[in-house]
Amino acid sequence: MSSPLNEKMAALAAKAEAALPGLLLRVPSLPDELCYEVQPADLKKVCVTLRDDPALKFETLVDLAGIDYLDYGNDEWKTVSATHSGFSRGVNRGVRKPHEGARFAVAYNLLSVTNNQRIRIRARCEDAEDPIIDTVVDVWPGANWFEREAFDLFGILFTGHPDLRRILTDYGFIGHPFRKDFPLIGNVEVRYDVEKKRVVYEPVSIEPRTLVPRVIREDRRYDPALKTQK
């Protein structure tokens, strides 16, 4: 269930939904935030309308980020009481459950400088194995490097991007490090070899493990019973 919007956000929601009837599905958010789910086929139309509609004027793309829902809702941490294995013991990861639905999505954080308002939209990639979605570089040119980052880290392809190549990882890097199934220890180790006088790549020498805290204590600092009595 979505939280009730405050007055300012409710007014913005009414304008956005009137400009894009049937194309916006509101998703849960805080009362002072507004977030919508958009179908990939409607993404470009929604973005252009949000930018050009006189009542909206979201002329600035503040940020664009990839999302991987592979382990969404799965929990491997025992955080309610003490664990039988003790503090700082590695635990074996369970078998990963098959993912249902669209695995990858892209979130767009928009700003209207004219109206001093913000909105967030999210579009999911239909193909879980080869995530593809339309570019918005022609709507907001600043999306260029953001989309390259999402491609580099998540492997999301943006149809129509003018220069889709890696931007953060090293030359020859294999894989996409922000995907949930990418190993935390990586695939190779990199170091400078003094004798060879160059950077060398070697197999990873450390073993992966998960640290489990023994006890997670509840934070009672804001418990009403602890407030000073007047």
Side-chain angles (χ1 to χ4, degrees), residues 220-229:
R220 300 188 60 208
R221 289 177 295 172
Y222 305 106
D223 192 321
L226 300 179
K227 291 185 177 180
T228 303
Q229 298 294 330

Side-chain angles (χ1 to χ4, degrees), residues 140-174:
W140 298 290
N144 192 320
W145 283 18
F146 291 142
E147 291 183 349
R148 284 181 58 188
E149 181 181 48
F151 162 69
D152 191 357
L153 301 181
F154 290 93
I156 299 174
L157 299 172
F158 293 88
T159 304
H161 190 284
D163 186 24
L164 194 61
R165 54 194 170 96
R166 291 185 182 270
I167 191 172
L168 292 176
T169 54
D170 195 11
Y171 298 106
F173 190 90
I174 297 175

Side-chain angles (χ1 to χ4, degrees), residues 66-120:
I67 308 171
D68 184 357
Y69 287 103
L70 179 62
D71 289 330
Y72 186 75
N74 296 335
D75 187 10
E76 66 180 28
W77 301 92
K78 300 175 182 179
T79 58
V80 177
S81 59
T83 65
H84 67 276
S85 56
F87 180 76
S88 194
R89 299 289 181 85
V91 297
N92 295 325
R93 293 177 180 268
V95 177
R96 176 172 274 125
K97 299 178 182 179
H99 178 73
E100 296 182 1
R103 173 180 171 182
F104 295 97
V106 181
Y108 306 80
N109 293 301
L110 310 179
L111 168 65
S112 171
V113 177
T114 303
N115 300 321
N116 189 25
Q117 291 183 319
R118 296 176 184 268
I119 195 173
R120 180 169 64 255

Side-chain angles (χ1 to χ4, degrees), residues 23-71:
L23 300 184
L24 302 177
L25 174 63
R26 192 180 164 220
V27 298
S29 62
L30 297 175
D32 58 349
E33 293 183 351
L34 187 59
C35 180
Y36 287 107
E37 181 95 16
V38 177
Q39 292 299 317
D42 301 325
L43 177 63
K44 192 65 68 72
K45 179 180 179 180
V46 169
C47 290
V48 171
T49 301
L50 290 175
R51 183 194 64 182
D52 296 343
D53 190 286
L56 300 171
K57 299 294 289 184
F58 286 98
E59 61 270 273
T60 303
L61 173 67
V62 177
D63 192 17
L64 178 156
I67 308 171
D68 184 357
Y69 287 103
L70 179 62
D71 289 330

Side-chain angles (χ1 to χ4, degrees), residues 185-190 200-206:
I185 59 174
N187 294 316
V188 296
E189 290 182 356
V190 182
V200 296
Y201 296 82
E202 299 173 337
V204 178
S205 60
I206 59 177

